Amino acid sequence: MSRTIDPFTAVPKYFQLASILRQNIEDGEWAPRSPIPSERQLEVLYNISRTTIREAINSLVQQGYLYREHGRGTFVSPQKLQKGWMELTSFSEDLVKRGLVPGQIIRSLQLMQPPQRVLQRLELPAGSLVHRIERVRLADGTPIGLQTSYLSLAPGQEITMQEMEKAGSLDRILSEKFHIIPTEADETLEVTLATPEEAGLLQVATGAPLLLNERVLFSQERTPVEYVKILYRGDRYQYFVHLKRQAIAENPR
Amino acid sequence: MSRTIDPFTAVPKYFQLASILRQNIEDGEWAPRSPIPSERQLEVLYNISRTTIREAINSLVQQGYLYREHGRGTFVSPQKLQKGWMELTSFSEDLVKRGLVPGQIIRSLQLMQPPQRVLQRLELPAGSLVHRIERVRLADGTPIGLQTSYLSLAPGQEITMQEMEKAGSLDRILSEKFHIIPTEADETLEVTLATPEEAGLLQVATGAPLLLNERVLFSQERTPVEYVKILYRGDRYQYFVHLKRQAIAENPR
DNA sequence: TAATAGTACTGGTAGTGACCACATTACCAG
DNA sequence: CTGGTAATGTGGTCACTACCAGTACTATTA
């Protein structure tokens, strides 16, 4: 790993510096709550202007690696490494974290006219076609969730069953094949009771409590890309989020 | 509302500019996806340096009001107003949004030794004392949630029943009296079934499905401040989150 | 001894000036 | 008509400079 700044590469200096600082934090060379070198010191250490230093630090503060204290210094956050939310809300990663083996059964993949509700969520005109993918999610071999995804793709963009089975993850197909990287999402969670069909697929009794998760994913340009509905077995699933307040930057005085 | 920058106030210029731009967006003066004036134009318009302009725009981009496109311009996000998560996860705001009248009954407020689980979550040593506040949350007068908060305060910091009833919101007391502003939180959600006591308080049948929400709030310095456990009536509550991916700042090339 | 003022650090705000990278358009040569 | 090219406007990066505002410590003073 580069421990110095290379002024000739196309990689911006602030980015290089941020990488170096992040390394120091992740490697544990800088203990939590201990101060990192002051901005003036870094200026000398790496022969970089303070503007650039602050840009690097800002990004790390924003990502939760560091926090500032006016008049005192900049410190390392005592934070268990938080992965991006995509990992956390991603089904597989989620299960692996709990020591379970994830799996899935793809029940269907089709191009179709979605129900009204989905059209609304995806902000599509009536009559639009979307990809619908229905999957049963498994944990250690037993069903844990019933997932239905509706994908809003540009005309001509297709997904085949083979791709789906090969890639395993829908997110991977989206990013690798279509260069779509969701950056925001709206999620709702509520409790429902299993219908006979759902009960059968999830191997629970009809009327058993389920956790219903609906999610709309937005692309970089704030366009709705995917609508996902997941029914989790209430007795075997726990939803997790890490929330971070946007620096509200309350009126300084 | 100030439409110009006042160079004499203590409020930073970048903050003033950001407020003006946000106003324009929220008032709908700038249509979604339409470009805002370029950075060089703003420089002239407000007689402010580009450094400051960029700082203002950066904060708005970060908050999701604007997005940039290299070589093209900066544009207004086509986004329904997203409040900070505190408003969204705040009980009262939440209900008001749905057209319901929020209310609460404070069942108890005491200083006590919390259960083991809470000590762990708050990262406190055994034997520590915390404030425990138990409330029944109401929507349009009927119970909707059962909330138990455990507060980790510095020795000597106290909350009285009067304050609690006067302020209405715990968050308000935290920020106004103790200057604690939670910036991050971990939340989990799962399904449980109502115990007889819970059923009584929530006016549902014993065994009715409930949404169990646990939350740990962290202060600016990443110290656990509050542990909250809320039991929602499954038939009357829906949880909502807006997720935003941290700008991963993938290696530029 | 206890309060006060100084001082030397920290991050916070702001201006200026330069050049780079990308997108769009107009124009020109083939 | 097509493909290249140059001009121009946009955001992206970076350096240097200056001063403000909070913090912690020290030396001075009452």
Side-chain angles (χ1 to χ4, degrees):
Chain A
M1 204 73 277
S2 67
R3 292 271 144 183
T4 56
I5 269 69
D6 174 5
F8 302 110
T9 175
V11 180
K13 292 189 185 179
Y14 78 89
F15 189 90
Q16 295 184 53
L17 178 57
S19 302
I20 294 175
L21 299 181
R22 190 177 344 101
Q23 273 298 316
N24 284 333
I25 298 167
E26 289 178 349
D27 294 352
E29 294 190 29
W30 289 338
R33 301 219 180 274
S34 66
I36 71 170
S38 79
E39 299 179 353
R40 267 86 168 183
Q41 285 170 7
L42 289 170
E43 215 171 347
V44 179
L45 276 174
Y46 292 98
N47 193 29
I48 284 183
S49 83
R50 203 175 150 214
T51 317
T52 307
I53 308 258
R54 281 184 64 82
E55 197 169 354
I57 293 182
N58 277 340
S59 81
L60 292 178
V61 168
Q62 217 270 307
Q63 290 171 47
Y65 287 99
L66 299 172
Y67 62 97
R68 301 179 189 274
E69 289 192 26
H70 191 171
R72 302 221 318 127
T74 303
F75 304 84
V76 176
S77 293
Q79 197 63 346
K80 23 278 162 194
L81 221 337
Q82 287 294 348
K83 292 291 182 184
W85 61 269
M86 192 51 66
E87 279 80 12
L88 285 178
T89 58
S90 146
F91 189 84
S92 331
E93 296 273 352
D94 220 4
L95 290 184
V96 171
K97 275 221 169 71
R98 303 174 202 195
L100 300 172
V101 181
Q104 67 175 345
I105 300 168
I106 303 175
R107 293 193 65 223
S108 66
L109 190 161
Q110 50 179 320
L111 201 60
M112 51 97 74
Q113 291 194 9
Q116 185 61 30
R117 173 186 182 73
V118 176
L119 282 180
Q120 277 178 10
R121 291 287 185 284
L122 292 177
E123 295 170 18
L124 290 173
S128 305
L129 289 178
V130 301
H131 281 78
R132 177 192 145 112
I133 301 163
E134 209 178 359
R135 288 179 280 181
V136 177
R137 299 294 207 158
L138 309 174
D140 279 349
T142 59
I144 191 174
L146 198 56
Q147 173 169 9
T148 314
S149 298
Y150 297 87
L151 265 183
S152 173
L153 293 176
Q157 295 189 323
E158 293 279 344
I159 294 182
T160 65
M161 201 71 173
Q162 288 76 37
E163 287 173 319
M164 205 42 218
E165 274 161 357
K166 185 158 151 255
S169 152
L170 192 53
D171 294 327
R172 232 171 100 186
I173 296 181
L174 279 184
S175 74
E176 291 179 4
K177 186 169 179 189
F178 303 122
H179 307 291
I180 296 173
I181 301 172
T183 52
E184 303 199 21
D186 282 335
E187 287 204 35
T188 60
L189 286 152
E190 58 194 302
V191 177
T192 59
L193 303 179
T195 66
E197 191 196 349
E198 292 159 0
L201 289 166
L202 289 173
Q203 300 178 11
V204 294
T206 300
L210 303 177
L211 194 60
L212 169 59
N213 179 196
E214 287 184 296
R215 181 188 310 163
V216 181
L217 289 167
F218 298 89
S219 71
Q220 298 94 315
E221 293 80 23
R222 323 265 164 178
T223 311
V225 172
E226 185 186 2
Y227 168 88
V228 189
K229 174 184 161 182
I230 315 182
L231 281 166
Y232 290 111
R233 280 180 59 162
D235 56 341
R236 303 202 50 198
Y237 190 75
Q238 187 185 47
Y239 175 91
F240 177 84
V241 231
H242 178 78
L243 300 173
K244 183 179 284 183
R245 180 202 282 273
Q246 325 240 59
I248 289 297
E250 40 179 323
N251 206 322
R253 190 99 26 103
Chain B
M1 202 72 279
S2 68
R3 289 272 145 183
T4 57
I5 269 73
D6 174 4
F8 302 111
T9 173
V11 180
K13 292 189 184 179
Y14 78 89
F15 189 89
Q16 294 184 54
L17 179 58
S19 302
I20 294 174
L21 299 181
R22 191 175 345 99
Q23 272 298 315
N24 284 332
I25 298 168
E26 288 178 349
D27 294 351
E29 294 190 28
W30 289 338
R33 301 220 178 273
S34 67
I36 71 170
S38 78
E39 299 179 353
R40 267 84 171 185
Q41 283 171 10
L42 289 171
E43 214 171 349
V44 179
L45 276 175
Y46 293 99
N47 193 28
I48 284 183
S49 82
R50 202 175 150 216
T51 317
T52 307
I53 308 251
R54 282 185 64 83
E55 197 169 355
I57 294 183
N58 277 340
S59 81
L60 292 178
V61 167
Q62 218 269 307
Q63 290 170 48
Y65 287 99
L66 299 171
Y67 62 97
R68 300 181 190 272
E69 289 192 27
H70 190 170
R72 302 221 316 127
T74 304
F75 305 84
V76 176
S77 293
Q79 198 63 346
K80 23 274 161 200
L81 221 338
Q82 289 294 347
K83 292 291 181 185
W85 59 268
M86 191 50 65
E87 277 80 13
L88 285 176
T89 58
S90 146
F91 190 84
S92 331
E93 297 273 352
D94 219 5
L95 291 185
V96 171
K97 275 224 169 70
R98 303 174 202 194
L100 300 172
V101 181
Q104 67 175 347
I105 300 169
I106 303 175
R107 293 193 64 225
S108 67
L109 190 162
Q110 49 179 321
L111 201 59
M112 51 97 73
Q113 291 196 9
Q116 184 62 30
R117 174 186 182 72
V118 176
L119 282 179
Q120 277 179 12
R121 292 287 185 283
L122 292 177
E123 295 171 19
L124 290 174
S128 304
L129 289 178
V130 301
H131 281 76
R132 177 193 146 113
I133 301 163
E134 209 177 0
R135 288 179 279 180
V136 177
R137 299 294 206 159
L138 310 173
D140 278 351
T142 60
I144 190 174
L146 198 56
Q147 175 169 7
T148 314
S149 299
Y150 297 87
L151 266 183
S152 173
L153 293 177
Q157 296 188 323
E158 294 279 344
I159 295 181
T160 65
M161 201 71 172
Q162 288 77 38
E163 288 173 320
M164 202 48 213
E165 272 160 358
K166 185 157 153 256
S169 152
L170 193 53
D171 294 327
R172 232 172 99 187
I173 295 181
L174 280 183
S175 73
E176 290 178 5
K177 184 168 178 188
F178 302 123
H179 306 292
I180 295 173
I181 301 172
T183 52
E184 302 199 21
D186 282 335
E187 286 203 40
T188 61
L189 285 152
E190 58 194 301
V191 177
T192 59
L193 303 180
T195 66
E197 190 198 349
E198 293 158 359
L201 289 167
L202 290 172
Q203 300 178 13
V204 295
T206 299
L210 303 177
L211 195 59
L212 168 59
N213 180 193
E214 287 183 298
R215 183 189 308 163
V216 181
L217 289 168
F218 299 89
S219 71
Q220 298 95 315
E221 294 80 24
R222 323 266 163 177
T223 311
V225 173
E226 184 186 2
Y227 169 88
V228 189
K229 174 184 163 183
I230 315 182
L231 281 166
Y232 291 110
R233 279 180 59 161
D235 56 341
R236 301 203 52 199
Y237 189 77
Q238 187 185 48
Y239 175 92
F240 178 84
V241 230
H242 178 77
L243 300 173
K244 183 178 284 183
R245 182 200 282 276
Q246 323 242 61
I248 290 297
E250 35 181 326
N251 205 322
R253 193 111 15 111

